[in-house]
Amino acid sequence: MALPFLPGNTFDRKIGKDKFHLSHQFDKYNGVAMSTGTQLGVGGVPLPGEDLRPKNSVYPRGEGPDRPAWLAFDKQVLCFDAYFQESITERPEEQYRIRICRVYFYPEDDTVQVVEQRQNNVGFPQGTILKRHRVPLPAPNDDRFYTYDQFNVGSEVSFYGRVYKLIDCDPFTRNFLTKLGVRVPPGFSAPEDPFLKHRQLAEGTQNPLRPYERIDTLKQFINHDTHVLRFWGVWDDSESLYGDVRNFVVHYFLSDDTMEVREILPPNSGRDAPPTFLSRKKLPKDFEGLRLPGENAPRTVLNVFGQLNKQRYILDNLKTGALNQKYYTDQDLAIGQLINVFGRKVLLTDCDEFTKNYYRTKYGVQDFTPISYKKGNDYKPLKQTYPYTGFGSEEDSLNSTKKLLADPVKKDFNKFMGFDRQALESYILRFMAKIMTKDPIQSQRRFVISYFLADDTISIHEPVTRNSGIDGGKFLERQRVKKPDQSRYPLEVSEYFGASDFYVGARVVINGFDFYLYDADEYAFKVMETEAYLFPVADQKLIMDKLRSVLSNSPDAVTQFGQHDPEHKGYFGFETFFYLMKNLVGNRLVDHEIITLARFYAPKTMKEHDIYSLVATAQENLRKNNYEHLLPLKENLISRDRSGNGRLPAQDVRTAIRSVHVPIPDYLLNLLIARMTQDDGTIDYNDILDALNWRQLPVAKPVPTSEHESSDFASTRHTDDARILDQTTHERKKFNVQYSVMLSDLGLSNSYTKSTLGSCENCDECRK
């Protein structure tokens, strides 16, 4: 162990050389050398009576770098076992005591601490006798402090007049002193304390004044802590004066076999609501009134008479005269069982699921049929409502009539989080509408009605049309809108417009204006079809069921479809399909349901994300993120290719790309992998690497070719031609509808339709 020199006040003295490192502090005014600690006289000669011995522990230089003592000896302690003898006066039983303690010496700063081992019932304070600090040597050397060389086994140290005999040390201390060249003698034991020995003998022969019978319940507590059986019960007290049927919840605690009974009070019952009907305790089975104090003792003792005026008690193991009090356990509780709650017969009527599982597992009980206990004195609480005050919302006004301190209105948080704006998903349904009126000027106005799914609010915007004489802009602030024909000051909360009230072909009356919704944007159609459980008019399966029941009663329906397709292609335009369906079904299908069918059976030519467009889009993402590190991806793919044929399953390729964090969105990666997957479900990963290598194998960015790709209402905000607003989204798209596939799904196909399917050039892709 490398032992450094202790810096600070320690002198670095080299043997054979009179070389000392002195500390001087010069007065900047007169240049006189002022002594700071140990000094030398003129010419380096010690002054008379000057002590040159170090005041701190000096350790010999060892191997390794020199480090300060506070760092070299950090968290190191020398521990010695010691004792001191304390004289006792005015006690004939003892003349002295031997007190065992431990002496700790800290080499980092030469501090000392003394701690006495604690003993039971000694009658004097124990613990720390001497707090940690530097202890001065006894006089006449009290200007110096204890260092490590004063401590050794067998030596005596005097701390403030009390002499401690060091009798042993721990292995670390022995090793530490041995490395310093100190011979450490073997340890020995402290002398025996005669009075302590006398006390130990006396305590061994004593019997407890209160006999103790140990009943171990620790195992039961550990196994069943927090396990509670819960039963519901009733107490029929209707035979007594002013009595009635009272409902309870009975708790049985498996950890200590105690029970608790809580009462269930209905509103306005007229009874106080204490926290518990019966506090937690063991419930006796037989209750014969309260016993006298001491009559029912937990244990039985016998008096053994010895000398006069002296008594000794022993435990009666036979428990003669003890009362055998029986308490309820889990075996006594079951549905339909009557329990005696201190004279009150409580019928157990039901239990919770945990209790059922407990009895089913432990006792094999399978029948848990609840008991319905009703009396003729059941009553319904009086419910009085008050009309809306006109201040605040109707919900706030209604809550203020239920409590003195009204609770805030609870909103549908799950709905808000599910349909709140998330990135590009706004969850706002936009519909084009017009006012149904005989006024020619008002009938030409067009509106955009926005419905917010997050909170069922509505806002209306009117596009600006030049030379119309009407200023466009905000028509209705975003708010919840009541349905028509409702009271202004209702007794209950009014009914508001919901999501199912808005669809193409619907008529909604908002603040006296009768709006007809004749179109919706592409995003609204997609959201309604995705969330079809909220919009029955966008549920394709429900619409097909309705259409099947309508067309099954019309034998000419299939023929009319064929008449509008003279070339037997199996499809025709959207406008033809829409008006034909209106003629066939009339008002039994709304416009939105017909549009949903047309969208579902439109040719899935999907502008089929060709491979070049996908690769170009993927390279554009990599170029924006400046991602060129394809070598880790290549190594990952090669490590997964055990066979070495250059092909991997699609899922492995996806996992490899995601493991190296290639910056490609999930939807784009899924499309790219789907297009590059072969019939056997594998991908040539070299093609993937070439497709992502935008630096050496760039692919030109795709340019949209269709002028009808955008179907949003953004282009209708400022327009000079009002006729554009009359064209619906699907009329501007001009797509076809495969009516033959629809008839086949309806089960209405005949020889005519089969022949048309056979002549259709795209029928295979349509069915795909």
Side-chain angles (χ1 to χ4, degrees), residues 646-672:
R647 306 181 69 83
L648 286 174
Q651 185 61 34
D652 292 350
V653 175
R654 187 196 318 275
T655 304
I657 294 176
R658 281 297 171 228
S659 64
V660 296
H661 306 290
V662 178
I664 298 179
D666 289 337
Y667 75 93
L668 183 58
L669 178 61
N670 295 337
L671 290 174
L672 184 62

Side-chain angles (χ1 to χ4, degrees), residues 555-677:
D556 299 335
V558 178
T559 306
Q560 293 186 28
F561 278 102
Q563 293 175 357
H564 288 78
D565 184 18
E567 298 181 3
H568 309 305
K569 295 181 179 180
Y571 62 89
F572 39 64
F574 168 75
E575 296 183 4
T576 304
F577 177 81
F578 184 83
Y579 290 111
L580 177 60
M581 291 294 293
K582 292 294 289 185
N583 293 332
L584 289 176
V585 300
N587 296 328
R588 285 170 286 187
L589 289 182
V590 298
D591 295 352
H592 198 115
E593 293 175 322
I594 299 176
I595 295 174
T596 300
L597 290 178
R599 290 170 55 86
F600 184 80
Y601 290 103
K604 303 299 187 297
T605 54
M606 288 192 322
K607 297 176 206 176
E608 260 264 348
H609 300 297
D610 60 286
I611 188 63
Y612 297 102
S613 300
L614 294 175
V615 172
T617 307
Q619 290 187 359
E620 183 68 18
N621 280 273
L622 299 180
R623 187 181 297 108
K624 290 180 179 180
N625 290 275
N626 197 21
Y627 185 85
E628 301 179 2
H629 309 291
L630 296 178
L631 182 59
L633 176 59
K634 183 177 181 180
E635 295 175 351
N636 197 325
L637 292 171
I638 293 175
S639 65
R640 295 173 182 270
D641 186 10
R642 301 293 179 86
S643 60
N645 58 358
R647 306 181 69 83
L648 286 174
Q651 185 61 34
D652 292 350
V653 175
R654 187 196 318 275
T655 304
I657 294 176
R658 281 297 171 228
S659 64
V660 296
H661 306 290
V662 178
I664 298 179
D666 289 337
Y667 75 93
L668 183 58
L669 178 61
N670 295 337
L671 290 174
L672 184 62
I673 290 178
R675 290 289 297 171
M676 300 186 71
T677 303

Side-chain angles (χ1 to χ4, degrees), residues 82-84 98-102 115-117 119 129 167 190-191:
Y83 74 92
F84 65 93
I98 301 298
R99 300 176 62 175
I100 307 299
C101 57
R102 284 188 176 179
V115 179
E116 183 179 9
Q117 300 178 3
Q119 300 178 7
I129 298 177
I167 59 176

